[in-house]
Structures are given as structure tokens and as C-alpha cells.
Amino acid sequence: EKNFAIEHNGVYWHNDNVVEKNYHRNKYESCNNVNITLLSIFSSHWKKNRVIVENMLRHKLLSQYTRISARKCIIKELTQKESNEFFDANHILGGTISKYRYGLYHDGALVAAMLFANPRLGIGKGQGGIELSRYATSCSVIGGAGKLLSYAIKQISPKSIYSYSDNSFSNGDMYDKLGFKMVSEIGPQYWYVDPSTEEIFHRFNFRKSKLKKMGFDTSNMTEKEIMDILGYYRVWDCGRKKWELHL
């Protein structure tokens, strides 16, 4: 009745030794085509961030989930430490280094935060834009994203803002409501998993320069071959959407 589906993907049966690259993307698209929102969770996320996942489900499914109006909140700039602590507790990807950090406070408690960074190469770099790199809440903050975005625009005066939504967790409707335009669909990206702990790692942690320092012959071996030797699984996500807001 809520047009909402949940899939828990155990990494043993969902790595690319078992399923092909587009397996999870195809499930996302099949649900999206019949107006069903699919939350796709790897067992790694569930084991490490169970509380965050449960809060995501409460936010989507429970009408009695704590709701606060952004109009009753005040905005403060956050330190990197405050930002990391909040996002580690409330965002599936945790904290990240950012140039601009803004938070919404209600009765002295931080309930929402938004981070902005200088765009990475290939993501608007040199165009006077910034990247909206994180947004998270500790409860349902009505109008929170809009209030923080408006404040950031006044403070930073960017020419444009870029961001990404992850199809595993969202269809990107927040960006649509904020006035962003979807400019491209990005295919599945891969992550590495340590099967002994099921901890998940971004592929950037295993780029060739690092593998070379570990003593591997990167000129004759592929990254995948080396990671197979190290015993890591490779899993593919559902892809992403790129969004832009021109000001």
C-alpha cells in the first residue's frame, strides 16, 4: 500500500562472481517502472549501519516518526568534527571532508546538516560551482533541505550546484523538489567487500598506485586480479543520478 520494497543483498550471493554487473540496477529499474521505491541494502550496510538503515525505514514508512518544522530551527556553521560525528551517526556513507558545513538546530540539538565541497575533476570544476556532497537528518525535518540550501546559496553565492542521488537508497525526489534538474544517469559502480567481516570499501582505496606500494605488479595484473588474490569480493550498486542547479 505504500509502493515501497526492501531488498537485503547478502554479499556472498550478490558479488560479481555470482550475479552480473547490472543485476541490482535492473531490479531498481523494474520497481521504478511500476512506481515502486526500492531500498537496496547490502548486508555490509546492515551489519555496520543497522540503526541508520532502521531510521531510513522509519522516515519512509511510519507516520508517527518524529517530525520537526525547519521554521522552528536555527542555522549554525559546523566544525569538521561536529559534521563528522553527525554524519557518522545519520548517513549511510558517514562523514566526509567538506569546505562548507551548515546545521539546523532545534532546542539546542542538531537535527539536520548539509555539506558542500569544491567540485571534483569532471564534476563542474572550474565553472564556479560547488558540490552538495551530503545531507542528513536525525528525524523528519520538514523543509530542512530547502532552508539549508537557501542559506548556503546566500553565503557562498555559487554559479551552480552539483550533486548525486544513489539509486540504492533514493529516487532523487529531494533534488527535484529543490529545483535541481537531472542531467544524466550513471551506471552501476563497484565496491570491494572483505568477506571475513563483510566491510565494504570504495574502489578508490585500491587504486593501482596503492596496490603497487603493496608490492603487486600492476603493469601485468589488473586491479580485479589483484583483489581476487587478496580475497576481496566485488559488488555493484544500482547506479546514480547527476543533478544540477544553475543560479
Side-chain angles (χ1 to χ4, degrees):
E1 67 273 18
K2 294 182 181 291
N3 284 344
F4 187 74
I6 306 164
E7 182 166 27
H8 177 276
N9 300 313
V11 294
Y12 182 83
W13 293 109
H14 290 261
N15 68 79
D16 65 2
N17 293 317
V18 182
V19 299
E20 55 91 25
K21 172 181 176 180
N22 290 302
Y23 180 83
H24 300 108
R25 173 60 177 259
N26 291 340
K27 285 203 171 185
Y28 159 77
E29 290 182 343
S30 295
C31 287
N32 193 55
N33 289 339
V34 290
N35 197 33
I36 293 175
T37 298
L38 173 64
L39 185 69
S40 187
I41 299 293
F42 279 113
S43 55
S44 306
H45 295 131
W46 181 246
K47 287 189 172 183
K48 184 179 180 181
N49 296 310
R50 177 169 176 162
V51 173
I52 295 175
V53 175
E54 288 177 343
N55 284 335
M56 291 168 68
L57 295 174
R58 289 188 184 97
H59 178 76
K60 292 177 181 293
L61 298 176
L62 300 180
S63 58
Q64 68 268 34
Y65 186 54
T66 304
R67 294 174 181 271
I68 295 171
S69 171
R71 289 178 294 178
K72 297 181 178 180
C73 300
I74 60 172
I75 298 177
K76 294 182 181 179
E77 294 189 16
L78 306 175
T79 65
Q80 187 65 57
K81 182 175 182 293
E82 290 170 333
S83 170
N84 286 344
E85 289 175 351
F86 183 79
F87 282 93
D88 284 345
N90 295 286
H91 196 286
I92 198 77
L93 297 179
T96 186
I97 300 298
S98 52
K99 186 172 183 179
Y100 306 101
R101 304 170 295 271
Y102 305 115
L104 280 180
Y105 284 81
H106 182 263
D107 291 339
L110 180 59
V111 295
M114 186 173 282
L115 307 181
F116 298 87
N118 288 328
R120 293 162 284 170
L121 186 64
I123 312 176
K125 188 165 184 172
Q127 298 178 27
I130 56 174
E131 180 183 359
L132 196 171
S133 55
R134 291 281 195 281
Y135 174 68
T137 66
S138 61
C139 59
S140 182
V141 184
I142 310 303
K147 184 167 183 172
L148 286 170
L149 179 65
S150 295
Y151 181 83
I153 290 171
K154 291 177 182 177
Q155 296 298 309
I156 307 169
S157 300
K159 293 180 180 178
S160 56
I161 301 175
Y162 305 78
S163 196
Y164 295 83
S165 59
D166 189 330
N167 295 335
S168 298
F169 312 118
S170 165
N171 58 13
D173 58 342
M174 181 192 81
Y175 293 99
D176 188 51
K177 292 175 182 176
L178 291 174
F180 283 73
K181 301 297 182 185
M182 190 189 77
V183 294
S184 62
E185 287 268 8
I186 300 169
Q189 299 185 52
Y190 64 87
W191 303 71
Y192 284 109
V193 177
D194 180 346
S196 64
T197 62
E198 294 198 23
E199 186 174 359
I200 195 165
F201 300 93
H202 193 278
R203 63 188 182 280
F204 185 75
N205 293 292
F206 301 104
R207 59 195 184 276
K208 279 198 170 183
S209 59
K210 280 199 170 186
L211 295 174
K212 188 174 183 179
K213 288 181 179 178
M214 293 168 65
F216 289 99
D217 181 5
T218 56
S219 60
N220 292 310
M221 297 179 69
T222 66
E223 174 193 297
K224 178 67 164 57
E225 288 172 337
I226 295 172
M227 295 307 291
D228 284 343
I229 292 172
L230 291 172
Y232 283 76
Y233 293 152
R234 188 170 67 172
V235 296
W236 295 84
D237 62 20
C238 299
R240 286 167 170 72
K241 296 184 180 74
K242 181 181 180 181
W243 302 83
E244 292 182 7
L245 178 65
H246 294 283
L247 302 164

